Amino acid sequence: MSTGAVGRAYPRLEGPEKVTGTARYAVEYPVDGVTYGWAVPSAVVRGRITRIDSTEAMASPGVLAVVHHGNAPRLAAGGPPELWLLQEPAVHYRGQFVAVVVAISLEAAREGARLVRIDYDTGPHSTVLTTDHPGRYRPEHVNPSYPTDTAEGDFDAGYAAAPVRVDATYRTPAYHNNPMEPHATTAQWRDGRLLVHDSTQGASPVRATLAELFALPPEAIRVIAAHVGGGFGSKGYAKASVVLAALAARHVDRPVRLALTRQQLFGPVGYRTPTIQRVRLAADTDGRLTAICHDAISQTSTIREFAEQTAVYTRSMYAAPHRRTTHRLVRLDVPTPFWMRAPGECPGAYALESAMDELATAIGVDPVELRVRNDARVDPDQERQFTSRNLVACLREGARRFDWAGRDPTPRARRDGRWLIGTGVAGSSYPARARASSATATARPDGGFLVRINATDIGTGARTALWQVAADALGVPPERVEIHIGDSDLPAAALAGGSTGTASWSWAVIRACQALGGKLRAGVPPDREVSASADTTDEVGEQPVLPRYAYGAQFAEVRVDADTGEVRLNRMLGVFAAGRVVNPTTARSQLVGGMTMGLSMALHEEGLLDERYGDWVNHDLATYHITGCADVESIEAYWLDERDDELNPAGVKGLGEIGIVGAAAAVANAVHHATGVRIRDLPIRLDKLIGASELA
Ligand code: MOS
């Protein structure tokens, strides 16, 4: 039946609308009588608001209201604590939104916000993560529901007995999600019903959270997210913008548009927690691992626990008889950290894949070969065979394409004038999961088909991929298929997160299309519209628990200026095994994007927190550096043909996150190979390199 749409490189369906500016984002819809909200952040870290003086703000031209805890509509308690906004005078972190100014124009709202006077009583605060912090504790589980600690064998004994050992502590700073489109919402109340256009990774979950906070039945709320300008995890959940806009719109009884500013994205919408990670590896002299331990420390806020799964990557990546992983959290007076592209796996892989490089150096074995020797056919964590594991094939294919053979392992061996040149490698893996979703397929009398599902396209190309999947499932050319996504009035579906989108949504789309095919074959009069729906809740729930992962191998070549310590990326290359690839164009952009973000993590990004103010001081794109095109001289992503029948009907593993996993380690390992200097706290900046004796 397949028409071969899956696997073909189609451009994004909405591409023309996006490049001509007609694709509408959350605050771009024309709305009669719309007003503008500007969020006011707390200027203190911890304390209580003692007085809010709105006099000057209200006197400013165009200002309609200053909404704050003293006059805001009430929210139901029991929702996400960080979204219980404008309800109480307490301040839990700097930047917490404490008021919204509503005005007839954006400029008037902004000026009004400047004129709101707020007095606070403040108390002492603590905002810096340290190993021995008194607020350190052991969480009950880690995101999303992994055990906090694991142990097999006897790590201490195994480690002590081994002839080769690595014991290294790696640190990563706070990283901030910076989607092109900020968190933004247009909210409208009509006859007790709430309509929001929101920039989110999942309209269905946003509707559920709004229903909880505003004590409404979900049917009274509609959330539309037709186009979303990126998220990376920060929009995986309802965020402040949608709550503030809905509160403000109810207060002024007019539609309200509210977009967070770029500066306001640095904290209140979630960020990647800083980490402190101690990794200990022990091996025999051939490089076969005998003991692995990964102890991770990260932070959470005082109002909500977010426990990132930093060491989980290490549980399944390489085999060893003696293994242990632990997670500890520190409660700080900070905004709650949250998802950022491969939360857990990304920083965890940086530490483990760096330690593997240190082990390779210590033993004198090639780092590709070291990983091949420690490959696992059976998941060391679940003790079941992986449904497919092509890590070794990725390493081999990557080494071939990268021209790795013949590499001199000696650090500082290659030089070109002032430039020291080095190469590095890292492994990569990410779980392949699917979540329950539902979809409806309709056959029209004119021979066309409509497929409806509340999937979200956050820029990934999901809309196009599902259109291809639907065409093949219906057995018709894709030109005859229309696809509707991004609206909570459509059949409910999982959010775009955890690299689960294509797997989850295509599952429901295929089942709906198959059901429709069954009805059509049963003989329906050609002049009638016919629909069929599917809900994969049971099927997904009944799927056997098996270790399902995508894999990759990341290679990087850097050059480092021996005099200044400047690091430049010559080239980067990744080979991935991620099941079936639906659309090579959009798949490549996900992988290259992930790798670029990993490069950015290795060399550029860093949230610099000033304990005096309890906040990041570099909260804009001028001072928070993100890798730009000029920082990437060559970056290539490839994939293997991989078939895995234990996944989902489309056979996909998902590739939104695998591209970032291991990327930072590959770059860091290349810097070590170039210079002989091992920087264990990211980002690798020139001041850290020129301070190192090896470079002198
Ligand atoms: Mo991704 S961090 O799961 O949205």
Side-chain angles (χ1 to χ4, degrees), residues 449-469:
F449 294 87
L450 172 64
V451 174
R452 304 160 74 242
I453 178 168
N454 185 23
T456 327
D457 190 327
I458 59 173
T460 56
R463 180 183 277 107
T464 312
L466 293 179
W467 170 76
Q468 295 172 243
V469 166

Side-chain angles (χ1 to χ4, degrees), residues 332-354:
L332 297 171
D333 301 304
V334 293
T336 312
F338 197 59
W339 301 334
M340 182 170 181
R341 210 170 199 167
E345 284 82 5
C346 169
Y350 158 65
L352 180 64
E353 299 293 339
S354 294

Side-chain angles (χ1 to χ4, degrees), residues 357-358 360-361 365-367 402-404 406-415 419-425 556-560 571 665-679 684 689 694-695:
D357 201 64
E358 301 209 37
T361 307
V365 61
D366 177 83
F402 192 78
D403 209 9
W404 181 266
R407 169 188 187 259
D408 182 342
T410 318
R412 288 183 69 103
R414 279 175 71 191
R415 196 172 175 130
W419 295 103
L420 303 169
I421 297 166
T423 53
V425 65
E557 180 183 282
V558 301
R559 63 184 193 276
V560 180
R571 58 197 177 104
V667 174
N669 294 342
V671 169
H672 172 262
H673 184 234
T675 62
V677 183
R678 182 74 66 177
I679 304 295
I684 300 171
L689 282 168
E694 294 93 330
L695 203 70

Side-chain angles (χ1 to χ4, degrees), residues 379-419:
D379 178 7
D381 193 48
Q382 283 191 35
E383 295 181 339
R384 306 182 78 151
Q385 191 151 347
F386 293 103
T387 59
S388 55
R389 172 163 163 135
N390 283 306
L391 172 64
V392 170
C394 290
L395 286 162
R396 296 274 188 236
E397 176 68 2
R400 185 186 71 76
R401 287 184 178 272
F402 192 78
D403 209 9
W404 181 266
R407 169 188 187 259
D408 182 342
T410 318
R412 288 183 69 103
R414 279 175 71 191
R415 196 172 175 130
D416 179 9
R418 274 168 35 202
W419 295 103

Side-chain angles (χ1 to χ4, degrees), residues 201 231-236 339-343 430 435 458 495-499 657:
Q201 292 172 226
F232 308 113
S234 72
K235 296 174 186 167
W339 301 334
M340 182 170 181
R341 210 170 199 167
Y430 194 81
R435 298 189 175 108
I458 59 173
L495 80 161
S499 299
E657 282 157 301

